[in-house]
Amino acid sequence: MTEARPWTEAAKALADTVTADAPAWHEAVSNTPRHRLVPRWWQRIPDSPTQEWALVDLPEDSAERLHAAYTDETLVTRVGPTHADHATPGEHGKGAPTSSSTLPGLIVSMAHRLDVKPGHKVLDVGTGSGYSAALFARRFGDENVTSVDVDPYLVEAARTRLAEFGRTPRVEAVDATGELPDAEYDRIMATVSVRPVPPSWLRALRPGGRLVTTIAHTALLIAADMGTDGIARGTVQPDPATFMETRQEADYPAMLNSVFVSARVREGEDVRPPDGPVPHLWQEWPLRWLYELDTPGVETRAATYPDDGRRVVWLLAADGSWARAEDGATPLVHQGGPRRLWDDLERVRRKWEENNRFSLHTMRGELSPGGGHLLSPDGTWRFPI
């Protein structure tokens, strides 16, 4: 008997782990060489004050590379404008991630929710390393899979690496928020987040087709089925998922550091005690996502003062609005700029409490080329998406 290649054993072990609830995907995961799609990647340098990343460049069949590739983890391949493929030995990447190979378990979970049938035409939005396109192509045939990404280099690299092990789905460099390579698809899955859901996706989704995507700056995963009336209806899924937002430029807009300079210690134009406890927005994520749905585009930051353990939360907006809330013996909220961001957060919290703090996965979505929205369970709270 021929001895199995080391990567196939690692891939099978990964498949055993990530396809327990989606066994139909076991064969595809077991036979897709993820390590060949991600030859190099970035690894966050712990406690780096400037968000720096170290380059990981290991021999193809080394135990360390196979372990990383076949562990259920995301591998960051691009930070800021710099892809790991283009980095020099010892170089540090700087900035936020702008592309990655998503953790396989999430890809499988989303693909399982997509419920692709033989013969369906699938659009994979966000090619990245090409791993999700490889899984779809392995299971449903190269001719039925189209994958798109805004970055021409990612597309060319993925196309080349996929072909090296016999996978030839259609891979195109396009801005997926605009027109798509084909007019009709049965299934659309996005591993980038969007808001709004692009009209082109909804125009291209056939009646009976399904869309699975996430809403930008939240972890809300939506699955929606297209009706004969041109409206896709669905729900927020129980499991959260976070993806990078679609982009048109080489990098994302810079963080609001200039606004933070004012918000960090400045006396506010409006100063008052908070209405209730200062929330832990990184723990109370349903409140955080509801606030994002209601008041989009607000950057959140938090810290704990080392001397006395007091927490502080900042809300920052591009129009110069800001809020700073500090807990402790005498909690205070400072607000400045044209809007009162903390007032908005408290309004959202009150309304959510009045609605019995409903679970976000009980929200319903309605999407059409003319616009879309999420609805609270009773239909009284509507969020444009």
Side-chain angles (χ1 to χ4, degrees):
M1 178 180 294
T2 302
E3 185 178 351
R5 290 171 293 169
W7 79 262
T8 59
E9 296 175 1
K12 182 181 181 303
L14 174 64
D16 291 344
T17 299
V18 303
T19 68
D21 296 325
W25 287 95
H26 190 280
E27 192 275 341
V29 175
S30 296
N31 289 281
T32 298
R34 188 184 185 217
H35 70 291
R36 295 180 64 177
L37 295 169
V38 193
R40 309 167 100 201
W41 62 93
W42 295 107
Q43 184 170 296
R44 182 71 183 271
I45 298 175
D47 302 320
S48 168
T50 57
Q51 200 172 9
E52 290 191 327
W53 303 73
L55 179 67
V56 180
D57 185 7
L58 300 168
E60 179 172 329
D61 293 322
S62 68
E64 295 86 353
R65 180 164 160 186
L66 294 180
H67 175 76
Y70 299 103
T71 298
D72 191 24
E73 294 182 356
T74 292
L75 299 177
V76 174
T77 54
R78 193 175 185 273
V79 292
T82 308
H83 197 285
D85 290 351
H86 301 145
T88 57
E91 181 179 350
H92 284 180
K94 294 183 180 180
T98 47
S99 189
S100 69
S101 180
T102 302
L103 67 164
L106 179 54
I107 295 294
V108 168
S109 175
M110 291 176 65
H112 178 63
R113 294 179 192 279
L114 200 63
D115 192 29
V116 183
K117 304 298 184 185
H120 275 170
K121 191 172 183 180
V122 178
L123 177 65
D124 167 50
V125 180
T127 303
S129 70
Y131 185 68
S132 53
L135 295 182
F136 282 124
R138 173 80 190 191
R139 187 166 175 209
F140 298 106
D142 298 288
E143 69 280 5
N144 292 316
V145 179
T146 298
S147 185
V148 297
D149 201 293
V150 72
D151 188 324
Y153 174 74
L154 293 178
V155 165
E156 184 57 35
R159 184 188 293 127
T160 299
R161 290 165 181 163
L162 287 165
E164 287 172 353
F165 56 89
R167 294 269 64 92
T168 57
R170 182 179 182 183
V171 188
E172 299 288 344
V174 300
D175 177 359
T177 63
E179 294 307 308
L180 302 173
D182 286 310
E184 292 189 328
Y185 296 93
D186 299 288
R187 297 290 189 267
I188 299 175
M189 187 177 91
T191 51
V192 290
S193 64
V194 293
R195 188 176 184 184
V197 177
S200 59
W201 298 9
L202 298 160
R203 288 193 298 266
L205 193 59
R206 290 172 174 153
R210 178 168 293 180
L211 165 69
V212 175
T213 189
T214 51
I215 302 305
H217 305 294
T218 78
L220 302 181
L221 178 66
I222 296 175
D225 295 326
M226 178 58 72
T228 56
D229 57 357
I231 298 175
R233 296 176 175 86
T235 59
V236 173
Q237 299 300 292
D239 300 325
T242 303
F243 287 103
M244 302 167 203
E245 189 178 5
T246 52
R247 57 181 171 84
Q248 284 72 46
E249 305 298 330
D251 199 354
Y252 294 109
M255 296 180 70
L256 299 173
N257 291 333
S258 61
V259 181
F260 185 59
V261 169
S262 296
R264 188 169 179 270
V265 295
R266 181 180 170 183
E267 184 79 7
E269 299 158 15
D270 176 79
V271 182
R272 62 172 176 82
D275 180 11
V278 175
H280 291 265
L281 290 178
W282 279 260
Q283 297 176 16
E284 300 177 51
W285 63 264
L287 174 60
R288 185 179 175 190
W289 305 147
L290 283 172
Y291 179 54
E292 170 62 28
L293 290 174
D294 179 272
T295 310
V298 175
E299 185 180 307
T300 56
R301 302 190 189 188
T304 300
Y305 291 116
D307 53 347
D308 56 10
R310 286 181 301 129
R311 291 187 304 109
V312 57
V313 176
W314 293 274
L315 306 177
L316 314 170
D319 65 0
S321 300
W322 60 270
R324 182 179 73 255
E326 301 177 3
D327 70 0
T330 308
L332 277 181
V333 175
H334 295 254
Q335 300 185 91
R339 291 184 288 153
R340 296 293 176 256
L341 301 181
W342 200 265
D343 291 1
D344 289 334
L345 176 62
E346 290 181 340
R347 172 179 52 78
V348 169
R349 181 166 60 183
R350 284 194 301 271
K351 191 165 185 177
W352 187 38
E353 290 170 347
E354 291 167 0
N355 281 266
N356 299 313
R357 296 175 66 93
F358 57 82
S359 296
L360 268 57
H361 72 262
T362 61
M363 298 177 74
R364 296 173 289 115
E366 295 184 355
L367 309 171
S368 73
H373 54 266
L374 287 178
L375 293 166
S376 61
D378 65 0
T380 61
W381 203 356
R382 182 185 180 106
F383 304 96
I385 58 168

